[in-house]
Amino acid sequence: IIRNNVTKSGAPGNRTPLRNFMNKFYSSKTSINYYKKNRSKIKHLYNSERFFFTKIAKKSNSFLDVGCALGNFVKIIKKLKKENFEYMGLDNQASLIKLAKKKFPHKKFYLIKSHHFPSNKKFDLVFCFGTLHHISNWKKYLLSMKNRTNTYLLFDLRLTNQNTINSNKQFQKITFGRKWDGKSKIRYITIKKRELDLFLKKNFKDFKIKFKKYIHKVGEGYVGIHKKVIMTTILCEKTK
């Protein structure tokens, strides 16, 4: 789970350094237990994620998971593939990467600090779920992912018909199922559909693009102007 733009604020203008806050938060028992119990089974996936992932995973033999957390997608892929496959997980949380390596010692996991990924290796399927709508430079991440795929790129975003909001004024409270501490939050980015369309048209000319969309209420803990967003999963399939 790659999360930038996370703040833990006290007095106005006071901001805890990102790296210190993130390491402390994602090293907590609460967050670790959450990831141990969730996102490890096919039934844990949202319908829009399952719609594409279960089909193309069966056609793929190598996987790059951007925002891998504990690497639980290894379990999901095993259920779908029933055979050996290559997997690499990337995350910017050292504690999660350390645990993922222990949990899946035969798979590769790397700590990243930006959209510059380790090695130039390409994969049949590059995917990123539940992450990009928290990353301010989401376009750079998508371009990096595009450069790492042989065939498929799969990701999700939160769209609206209104102007894009990419600032700390719109955020998600971080709770992991517990009462909010009144401080921990993460940027929640909503993208104007037109902006995404133009970005894809310019940068994904050699891809066939499919969408799975549905309108959904914003999650509990969301703070911003929207009551509903267009939950959108995008599949880009290379044609050349």
Side-chain angles (χ1 to χ4, degrees):
I1 181 164
I2 298 173
R3 301 289 188 261
N4 66 1
N5 305 111
V6 178
T7 62
K8 188 168 183 178
S9 56
N14 181 30
R15 178 173 295 182
T16 300
L18 173 63
R19 182 179 299 178
N20 293 339
F21 168 72
M22 293 294 284
N23 288 340
K24 180 180 179 181
F25 186 84
Y26 285 101
S27 296
S28 69
K29 290 183 179 180
T30 301
S31 60
I32 297 301
N33 287 336
Y34 175 87
Y35 287 120
K36 285 182 177 179
K37 296 177 182 178
N38 293 277
R39 307 292 283 177
S40 60
K41 299 179 181 179
I42 295 174
K43 68 178 182 180
H44 291 163
L45 301 182
Y46 295 111
N47 290 334
S48 56
E49 295 172 335
R50 282 199 302 268
F51 184 80
F52 289 124
F53 189 84
T54 54
K55 298 173 185 177
I56 60 178
K58 294 176 181 178
K59 301 178 182 179
S60 305
N61 294 312
S62 58
F63 301 82
L64 176 62
D65 182 358
V66 181
C68 65
L70 294 181
N72 283 335
F73 259 90
V74 171
K75 291 184 177 181
I76 294 174
I77 297 169
K78 280 184 178 179
K79 288 290 184 180
L80 295 169
K81 293 289 294 178
K82 309 288 185 183
E83 59 189 43
N84 291 331
F85 56 89
E86 184 178 359
Y87 172 97
M88 180 185 291
L90 306 179
D91 206 287
N92 69 350
Q93 299 308 306
S95 59
L96 297 182
I97 289 294
K98 182 178 180 180
L99 289 170
K101 287 180 177 180
K102 290 182 178 180
K103 192 173 185 180
F104 304 105
H106 300 298
K107 301 302 179 185
K108 296 179 180 179
F109 295 91
Y110 293 95
L111 181 68
I112 60 172
K113 294 300 179 183
S114 71
H115 61 280
H116 299 294
F117 299 163
S119 83
N120 292 318
K121 181 174 176 54
K122 294 192 175 185
F123 299 82
D124 296 336
L125 170 55
V126 178
F127 64 99
C128 180
F129 287 142
T131 297
L132 291 174
H133 66 292
H134 296 304
I135 298 179
S136 58
N137 57 341
W138 59 273
K139 291 180 181 178
K140 290 183 178 180
Y141 272 82
L142 277 178
L143 294 177
S144 291
M145 286 187 273
K146 183 189 79 169
N147 291 334
R148 296 300 186 275
T149 184
N150 285 320
T151 308
Y152 302 110
L153 170 58
L154 183 62
F155 59 95
D156 63 337
L157 294 168
R158 308 297 183 260
L159 306 183
T160 71
N161 291 311
Q162 297 172 262
N163 289 336
T164 293
I165 299 178
N166 188 350
S167 76
N168 288 326
K169 293 181 179 180
Q170 180 170 266
F171 61 88
Q172 178 78 38
K173 299 174 183 176
I174 301 178
T175 62
F176 283 114
R178 295 195 175 188
K179 184 178 180 181
W180 189 44
D181 62 9
K183 301 175 183 178
S184 304
K185 59 185 180 181
I186 188 168
R187 184 176 298 198
Y188 188 109
I189 300 165
T190 50
I191 301 165
K192 188 174 183 177
K193 288 196 299 181
R194 177 64 174 164
E195 180 179 343
L196 177 64
D197 290 341
L198 291 174
F199 174 77
L200 294 175
K201 183 177 181 180
K202 177 182 178 181
N203 295 287
F204 287 78
K205 296 178 181 179
D206 297 334
F207 288 79
K208 179 171 63 175
I209 301 175
K210 297 180 181 179
F211 298 87
K212 179 66 175 178
K213 302 178 182 179
Y214 62 96
I215 298 175
H216 197 273
K217 291 182 179 179
V218 292
E220 184 179 352
Y222 163 86
V223 176
I225 66 170
H226 299 296
K227 293 183 178 179
K228 295 181 179 180
V229 294
I230 306 169
M231 306 286 284
T232 307
T233 300
I234 300 103
L235 172 62
C236 302
E237 181 177 357
K238 213 167 190 178
T239 56
K240 295 183 181 180

